[in-house]
Amino acid sequence: MKAILITLMAALLLCSGCGSGGENQQKTIRLCSSLSETMTDILAEDFARQQNVKVEVSYLPTGDLAKRLNFLRDGKFDLWLGGTPEEYYLASEQKMLRSYRPKEAYKVPAEMRENQWRWTGLYVDYIGFLSNRGRLRDLGLYAPETWNELLKPELFEETVLADFKNGGRSYGMLTSIWQLRGEEQALAYAASFNSQRPFYTASEWDAIEEVRSGRKTVAVVSLSVALQLERQNRELFATLVKDGNKNCITGAAILQGAHLEEAQAFMDYLLSEHSRDLLASKGYPLLWRVSDYAHDDGRKMMIGNLQLAVDDLSWTAGQKSAIIQQWLNAQ
């Protein structure tokens, strides 16, 4: 865990508060993040400056969700940044989340938040493929744009994705295909996909490294990340999955026992135009904000008339282990 301290302001407050009985003592918010360290630091440091608070940041470990929820519970955090609807659904079922309707709640579409405001969406992304151009040339292939293209014989042992149990876009692949095609067709696809012997990694970033290094040809990843990497590396190519996708929502939630004033202020900050512009200026221009969802022409041009699965969270979250097992056992 690390603390982000605004030292100049703290020093000024310390001097001005001498003999005041601690009235000006700096407040603290404890943040647990599922976002990247760089992105988390940008937001935490800026909020600390604006609000003159001390922000303590921890990162949610990868792995089994039950252990991750225990980490959140034991850590006595105020706010969870960067979780997914499936994760928030299970946390809410365990009475871990506290309702809060943000000041700019009117910007959040109903399908991108919990109906009692136990979690609120911040960004929406999609599932994409990241391909290595050199390996595609060697195999004589164009970059795939559909799930069915991953079944080409040339891509035997050439696809990489994060372990399903860790959630993310790989689990989104599974649930989108299942919900859009139905169980019978989804499991038939799973059998064909399993026969391709895909390579599973601990995280999406590990999958990306397999493609970036040229060890694998195609990774299942976040579209926004794939697009950003394509801009940085001419050997990488990003494509949107067209034959079944989903709104991949990243959100935030206030935890039970939180310091409410600070936690609610951070939620309001996260939905502000200021935080959106700040992230864009720091190299995150391809994040689609939930608040801009209805009128973001760039996003609309990118996804077109994409067929999107609407998640049944009681199924995708509540039956996750069984769903994964059925998929992996299909043959």
Side-chain angles (χ1 to χ4, degrees):
M1 183 173 66
K2 60 184 177 181
I4 297 169
L5 297 174
I6 309 306
T7 55
L8 177 60
M9 289 299 295
L12 289 173
L13 278 172
L14 191 61
C15 292
S16 63
C18 292
S20 64
E23 291 179 7
N24 291 322
Q25 184 177 359
Q26 192 177 36
K27 294 180 179 180
T28 299
I29 180 171
R30 301 195 70 215
L31 177 68
C32 188
S33 178
S34 305
L35 299 180
S36 71
E37 185 170 340
T38 301
M39 190 172 170
T40 302
D41 283 352
I42 290 169
L43 294 169
E45 290 173 7
D46 186 63
F47 177 77
R49 284 191 205 92
Q50 282 199 19
Q51 300 291 324
N52 184 35
V53 297
K54 175 183 174 183
V55 182
E56 295 181 351
V57 179
S58 294
Y59 292 92
L60 195 63
T62 58
D64 181 77
L65 182 57
K67 293 180 180 177
R68 299 171 84 199
L69 293 182
N70 284 336
F71 179 86
L72 279 163
R73 191 182 290 106
D74 296 342
K76 301 187 185 304
F77 299 104
D78 298 302
L79 191 137
W80 177 8
L81 172 63
T84 66
E86 289 93 350
E87 293 172 323
Y88 289 136
Y89 175 87
L90 291 178
S92 181
E93 289 289 292
Q94 296 181 31
K95 312 298 183 186
M96 293 176 60
L97 308 183
R98 180 162 186 154
S99 298
Y100 175 61
R101 184 184 179 94
K103 290 180 179 178
E104 300 192 29
Y106 65 92
K107 295 181 177 180
V108 183
E111 66 271 24
M112 295 191 184
R113 60 171 174 81
E114 200 268 342
N115 60 3
Q116 298 297 318
W117 296 96
R118 293 186 181 91
W119 61 265
T120 303
L122 300 174
Y123 317 106
V124 60
D125 206 342
Y126 302 94
I127 307 171
F129 294 140
L130 182 71
S131 300
N132 183 294
R133 293 178 189 266
R135 288 187 72 90
L136 287 173
R137 286 192 295 269
D138 293 342
L139 295 171
L141 295 175
Y142 291 108
E145 295 183 332
T146 66
W147 298 121
N148 288 343
E149 288 178 89
L150 295 184
L151 304 181
K152 289 184 176 181
E154 296 88 344
L155 289 178
F156 178 73
E157 295 188 337
E158 290 293 331
T159 299
V160 58
L161 64 166
D163 193 318
F164 291 131
K165 72 174 181 293
N166 293 334
R169 306 304 175 254
S170 57
Y171 186 58
M173 164 192 177
L174 188 162
T175 58
S176 296
I177 291 173
W178 198 307
Q179 291 176 109
L180 289 169
R181 300 188 184 186
E183 180 175 347
E184 184 177 347
Q185 290 187 41
L187 292 178
Y189 177 88
S192 298
F193 184 70
N194 292 341
S195 71
Q196 289 286 81
R197 294 181 62 178
F199 182 62
Y200 294 96
T201 60
S203 71
E204 182 172 298
W205 284 106
D206 291 334
I208 288 169
E209 180 57 25
E210 291 291 319
V211 170
R212 188 203 62 78
S213 65
R215 291 190 291 268
K216 297 293 180 182
T217 301
V218 183
V220 178
V221 299
S222 306
L223 177 64
S224 65
V225 172
L227 290 169
Q228 190 168 19
L229 291 168
E230 180 188 65
R231 294 170 61 182
Q232 299 169 355
N233 188 330
R234 62 187 301 173
E235 278 301 300
L236 299 178
F237 190 72
T239 48
L240 172 70
V241 182
K242 294 181 177 178
D243 63 336
N245 216 302
K246 65 176 288 186
N247 284 322
C248 300
I249 302 168
T250 296
I254 296 175
L255 294 157
Q256 291 287 357
H259 294 90
L260 280 182
E261 182 180 351
E262 292 77 25
Q264 291 173 355
F266 200 91
M267 285 288 286
D268 292 336
Y269 166 82
L270 291 170
L271 285 171
S272 69
E273 300 295 321
H274 171 80
S275 69
R276 178 198 65 184
D277 295 341
L278 174 67
L279 287 172
S281 72
K282 297 293 186 178
Y284 295 90
L286 296 171
L287 284 173
W288 290 287
R289 291 282 293 217
V290 163
S291 56
D292 299 329
Y293 184 78
H295 53 81
D296 188 329
D297 292 335
R299 181 192 64 82
K300 290 177 184 177
M301 288 180 63
M302 172 61 68
I303 70 168
N305 295 318
L306 191 63
Q307 188 178 20
L308 298 171
V310 179
D311 282 336
D312 174 359
L313 291 178
S314 64
W315 180 75
T316 60
Q319 303 297 318
K320 184 175 180 178
S321 296
I323 294 166
I324 292 173
Q325 201 60 51
Q326 279 186 271
W327 181 280
L328 293 174
N329 288 342
Q331 52 183 289

